[in-house]
Amino acid sequence: MRLRALLDTDALGLRLLGGEDELDRTVRGVMTTDLRDPSRYLAGGELVLTGLAWRRDASDTEPFVRILASAGVAALAAGEAELGDIPDDIVRACARHRLPLFAVNESVAFATITEHVVRQVSGERAGDLAAVVDRHRRLMTSGPAGGGPDVVLDLLGTDLDLRAWVLSPAGRVIAGSGAAGNTLPAPLCARLAGEHLAAVRTGRRGPHRVTVDSVTYSLFPIRTSGRGAAGASRDVRESVLSDWVLAVEADAGDWPEERLDLLQGVTQLIAVERDRRDAARTVRRRLAQEVLELVQTGAAPAEIAARLRVAAPVLLPGLGTAPHWQVVVARVEWEGGEIDGGSVAQSLLEEILVDPAASGPEPSDRIAVAHTGDEAIALVPLPAVSGEHEGPETGLLADALLASVHDPLSAGLDGDGRLTLGVSASVHSAEGLRGALEEARHARRVAAARPGRVCAAGHQELASHVLLLPFVPDDVRRAFTARLLDPLREYDKRHRAELIPTLEAFLDCDGSWTRCAARLHLHVNTLRYRVGRIEQLTGRDLSRLEDKLDFFLALRMS
């Protein structure tokens, strides 16, 4: 389609500010961005929509416009909602670079322009995308008739014979084409999500191609299209852990431009659904924020309890009695500390708290997550259980939360990021929430003291030696372990005597000679000889509790 056709469509609310001689340019797609450097996502021919959040002052304008012009975009359309009238420095820069400039009336949503452009461009691409766009209104409607992203993926499967899935950054299936959405194995989902995150972190332009077991998948980023959304972030690290990805079972390297344009259009339609889903989370996020503020300001338990009674029907519809609650605290930190990780941690925690077996875009209806600074805090309702079923393992467990998402998230954080997570015990009343919040924060600090990009700790670990070990200074740790274990390591290195494995097994068996000998497949006399050698080399006595404890801690800290 031509730029002139956009200007002639009154419903789009576009006003030409410059570039009258360029209105016959062809528009091949649309992109919404507030990145200061969006070049990696531009292929040429796009109508670029921006809310101007990238502009701090006039000096930012020239580099931004120069990047767009160099990439060959068709035109720039700037929204008036943020600054009112479009600044003169933008008008002048676009004129210098012969880049047509439109102003977008604040009453018109960028999603409206996106839908119109995709609809019009599709009619000029041999009808490939027309069928998809014709179903776009179903995607936008609420209720069972809407269909969500499954509608678009079904058309890819039936009309173009493409099997495709929408995956979360943690590798959970959001939607799939027909029955295919239920057949993609979880390990494969995690692998594809991890490969996508790694590619985005290295700045490679999509689609990213991955071959697994001789099958090639093409991965297309799905970036939110609304103003102020994560897709408009200035730094890729602010959105990499929250964007969805479209995985297509095909090698896009062999596709013509028309087919690539088709898939880019599909990602734009799915992004609209993502925006709608995020908007629906607003109520749950507000509830969590209100409860959190009451807890942190020391409000009366009765006031907190009243707020929880309001939250319970929203988070657990149909529940007759007040639930139990757990608090989960997450923190995303990037080296340098210049990026606020709170909103990223919020989106990520909403995803992590979803049952890994759940599919679809809305299984997180019962999760309320607030964020402040770099920290995200989840208020998780648990249906009340009878005393006979309740125990120390009731509710969420830290290790289980990260089991299915560890690998893909590690890929997204690789190089300069960390995710740490702490989980409280469940509490049964408003009075317990303040303690649960502090418990979750303390558990997160325990997780932060461990090595690794993705770490978690639970409340169970706060009542054992595990709580103490991470906070032992490194020099003390090295001196303590060297004094006890270095003589054994050196002896093992010279004689291959396996004293260290023998010591570990002996302590694991609580000092039982027969059980330890059986585990190591040794005669008891051989075991006694090894233990005697350990005692001789270290000057310790493994029949004494104090010496057993010292060895136990040294092994844990080594």
Side-chain angles (χ1 to χ4, degrees), residues 311-321 323-325 365-366 381-384:
V314 175
L315 301 178
L316 286 177
L319 189 68
T321 58
H324 297 174
W325 302 90
D365 283 342
R366 299 181 178 185
L382 304 171

Side-chain angles (χ1 to χ4, degrees), residues 499 502 506 511-514 516-517 520 522-536 542-543:
L499 296 186
T502 300
F506 186 73
S512 169
W513 297 100
T514 54
C516 183
L520 296 175
L522 297 175
H523 192 279
V524 172
N525 288 342
T526 304
L527 176 61
R528 290 185 184 276
Y529 172 80
R530 289 187 183 181
V531 170
R533 179 63 67 182
I534 292 171
E535 293 174 334
Q536 180 185 15
L542 278 169
S543 66

Side-chain angles (χ1 to χ4, degrees), residues 136-188:
H136 188 205
R137 293 195 180 280
R138 285 191 60 193
L139 180 71
M140 295 294 293
T141 58
S142 59
D150 298 276
V151 172
V152 179
L153 299 189
D154 283 346
L155 284 176
L156 289 179
T158 57
D159 295 357
L160 302 178
D161 197 26
L162 290 176
R163 282 165 38 99
W165 302 264
V166 176
L167 305 179
S168 77
R172 185 174 59 86
V173 175
I174 303 295
S177 50
N182 298 319
T183 59
L184 202 63
L188 177 56

Side-chain angles (χ1 to χ4, degrees), residues 101 104 113 137 150 155 157 166 193 205 208 255 272 279 297 322-323 346 349 364 399 411 444 496 528 549:
L101 174 64
V104 182
I113 300 174
R137 293 195 180 280
D150 298 276
L155 284 176
V166 176
R205 180 178 295 181
H208 314 120
W255 287 0
V272 175
T297 56
Q346 182 181 44
L349 194 50
S364 56
D399 290 341
R444 193 208 63 79
R496 298 183 181 180
R528 290 185 184 276
L549 179 59

Side-chain angles (χ1 to χ4, degrees), residues 358-398:
S359 62
E362 297 294 344
S364 56
D365 283 342
R366 299 181 178 185
I367 299 166
V369 184
H371 83 83
T372 173
D374 286 337
E375 185 180 66
I377 303 170
L379 188 65
V380 182
L382 304 171
V385 296
S386 62
E388 64 186 44
H389 294 110
E390 188 174 358
E393 300 303 310
T394 298
L396 302 173
L397 299 177

Side-chain angles (χ1 to χ4, degrees), residues 10-185:
D10 294 337
L12 300 183
L14 295 176
R15 181 164 51 90
L16 185 65
L17 300 182
E20 296 87 347
D21 297 335
E22 306 291 335
L23 291 179
D24 287 328
R25 289 189 181 186
T26 300
V27 179
R28 298 176 59 249
V30 62
M31 176 192 179
T32 301
T33 187
D34 273 315
L35 287 166
R36 294 163 68 182
D37 180 6
S39 57
R40 72 178 69 181
Y41 307 120
L42 296 172
E46 297 94 348
L47 171 67
V48 174
L49 306 174
T50 180
L52 300 179
W54 51 267
R55 183 186 180 276
R56 297 168 301 186
D57 53 46
S59 65
D60 291 331
T61 298
E62 173 64 19
F64 180 81
V65 174
R66 184 171 61 250
I67 287 169
L68 299 189
S70 298
V73 304
L76 174 65
E80 295 179 322
E82 183 73 19
L83 301 177
D85 291 336
I86 307 304
D88 289 339
D89 54 274
I90 296 179
V91 177
R92 292 193 297 271
C94 287
R96 281 195 301 273
H97 291 278
R98 300 181 61 84
L99 181 66
L101 174 64
F102 299 96
V104 182
N105 189 281
E106 62 180 357
S107 65
V108 178
F110 282 4
T112 300
I113 300 174
T114 298
E115 180 181 0
H116 178 83
V117 172
V118 172
R119 184 185 296 275
Q120 295 302 316
V121 171
S122 69
E124 301 171 9
R125 293 179 184 159
D128 255 0
L129 190 55
V132 176
V133 179
D134 285 342
R135 299 282 289 277
H136 188 205
R137 293 195 180 280
R138 285 191 60 193
L139 180 71
M140 295 294 293
T141 58
S142 59
D150 298 276
V151 172
V152 179
L153 299 189
D154 283 346
L155 284 176
L156 289 179
T158 57
D159 295 357
L160 302 178
D161 197 26
L162 290 176
R163 282 165 38 99
W165 302 264
V166 176
L167 305 179
S168 77
R172 185 174 59 86
V173 175
I174 303 295
S177 50
N182 298 319
T183 59
L184 202 63

